[in-house]
Amino acid sequence: MNNNTNDKLDAMLQQYYGREQESFEYNEAPKKRSPLRYTSAVAAVFAILLCAGLLLYTCITPKNDLVINVAAQGTEEYTDLSVKTFYKATFDLDYAGITDKSEMLTAGIIVVKGDNIADIQVDSLYDEGEFLMPYGHNYFQCLDSDGNMKPHYGTDSRLVLICSEEEFTEDEKTSSIWYVPVDENGEPISNNEYIAEEKADTVQMKIYFEDGSCNTKHIFITYNEGKMNIKAE
């Protein structure tokens, strides 16, 4: 085959096969995200954040725990909570001493203990009782049925006080409140007086915490055969 023939053959082949062809380029298909793997990752992140939040809350946020114990005078619980014997006494300013004292008063003791307590407010909802709070070595602050300071009225140089035979501990000063039923004249009732069932009362307590929150509790006081029963709820 001469060169001319070869040239024609080459020209024919180039004309047939020489069209511009788009080169094929392999592109790997993008990987699809697995919904399960994505959900698991989100759940893991959420769990980490939750644990971190709980740890932060535990370390920083105050725990506002409280426990209320109550007992009526003359009961075994009362002996466990307090051994104080307290009475109404007449203090003579001229002689600087107590000149008279009554028998032990009827009372129920309320002990509030907890963390981060800032203040406690008490209220006798039926005005059948008043409150005593330990003050000083062996004296009480007398509070009215609304929990406010009650003025002491005396005659001449005499002053009526509520006293205790024993000194108060620091724990008693900060955690205990005594409830005393009062008669129609607003005077505390002695423990040898009979108290009718109609004198039942409810004490409302509001416990305020350092973080500004408040917890309300109720103490129910009833009388059975003249004896006091006290229950916290």
Side-chain angles (χ1 to χ4, degrees):
M1 188 179 293
N2 57 33
N3 291 336
N4 189 27
T5 302
N6 290 336
D7 292 339
K8 289 181 180 181
L9 180 60
D10 289 339
M12 183 184 67
L13 293 175
Q14 288 179 6
Q15 185 177 5
Y16 185 81
Y17 292 106
R19 302 176 190 171
E20 293 184 0
Q21 300 291 329
E22 294 183 1
S23 60
F24 177 77
E25 182 178 352
Y26 174 76
N27 292 319
E28 184 178 0
K31 294 182 179 179
K32 295 183 179 180
R33 294 183 178 179
S34 171
L36 181 59
R37 292 179 59 186
Y38 179 78
T39 304
S40 300
V42 172
V45 172
F46 179 76
I48 294 173
L49 293 176
L50 180 61
C51 292
L54 289 174
L55 180 61
L56 187 64
Y57 178 84
T58 302
C59 296
I60 297 178
T61 304
K63 295 180 179 179
N64 298 336
D65 298 327
L66 68 90
V67 175
I68 297 179
N69 292 314
V70 298
Q73 174 186 306
T75 63
E76 183 177 347
E77 291 84 1
Y78 185 91
T79 303
D80 292 339
L81 290 176
S82 174
V83 295
K84 299 292 180 289
T85 300
F86 54 97
Y87 51 86
K88 184 169 62 176
T90 301
F91 188 89
D92 195 311
L93 298 176
D94 292 335
Y95 294 97
I98 294 175
T99 58
D100 183 33
K101 67 180 182 179
S102 68
E103 296 184 23
M104 185 176 178
L105 301 178
T106 299
I109 183 174
I110 305 169
V111 178
V112 182
K113 291 186 177 181
D115 298 325
N116 308 303
I117 295 177
D119 189 25
I120 299 175
Q121 294 182 0
V122 289
D123 182 16
S124 170
L125 298 185
Y126 298 102
D127 295 331
E128 295 289 355
E130 296 181 339
F131 305 95
L132 306 175
M133 296 188 67
Y135 176 76
H137 295 293
N138 59 348
Y139 294 101
F140 287 94
Q141 287 183 340
C142 297
L143 309 179
D144 60 20
S145 59
D146 295 324
N148 301 314
M149 283 295 297
K150 181 182 179 182
H152 301 278
Y153 298 103
T155 303
D156 299 328
S157 63
R158 301 199 314 166
L159 187 66
V160 176
L161 299 174
I162 305 297
C163 303
S164 170
E165 293 284 6
E166 303 88 9
E167 290 190 3
F168 300 117
T169 65
E170 290 302 318
D171 189 54
E172 286 174 323
K173 291 180 184 179
T174 57
S175 64
S176 61
I177 300 171
W178 275 265
Y179 171 92
V180 292
V182 295
D183 59 22
E184 60 276 6
N185 298 317
E187 295 295 324
I189 298 176
S190 298
N191 66 340
N192 60 347
E193 295 182 54
Y194 181 88
I195 304 177
E197 294 181 1
E198 290 75 15
K199 296 287 290 182
D201 200 358
T202 299
V203 175
Q204 177 176 277
M205 301 187 67
K206 291 187 176 181
I207 300 96
Y208 294 89
F209 297 94
E210 294 175 355
D211 62 1
S213 61
C214 176
N215 196 330
T216 301
K217 298 290 184 180
H218 292 90
I219 314 296
F220 298 97
I221 298 170
T222 57
Y223 299 93
N224 182 19
E225 297 182 354
K227 300 297 182 180
M228 175 187 287
N229 298 292
I230 183 169
K231 181 180 180 182
E233 289 187 2

